Amino acid sequence: MRKTLAVIAMAIVQAGCANGRQDRVAGGALIGGGTGALIGGLAGRTAGAAVAGGLIGAVAGAIIADATRPG
């Protein structure tokens, strides 16, 4: 239990270290990568297709998140 609380506390402290742009780009890359891997895996029915879809989705997600950030 103590280890879990320590990990949660460290995560909260680390969350304040990145700026809004970095958070947004990282979030976009994660969402895009996951979605791309899912779609690639379903469409190609191979692990290679899932990896390719994930990579393409991560790049696209990061670019889109950066381009659409407010202000």
Side-chain angles (χ1 to χ4, degrees):
M1 182 62 142
R2 282 188 178 189
K3 287 183 181 180
T4 304
L5 292 175
V7 170
I8 292 171
M10 289 182 351
I12 290 172
V13 170
Q14 289 293 327
C17 292
N19 64 29
R21 181 178 183 192
Q22 291 172 338
D23 289 341
R24 186 170 175 88
V25 170
L30 286 174
I31 292 169
T35 304
L38 179 66
I39 293 171
L42 291 173
R45 298 193 189 272
T46 64
V51 170
L55 290 174
I56 293 167
V59 170
I63 291 169
I64 292 169
D66 189 42
T68 58
R69 74 178 185 273

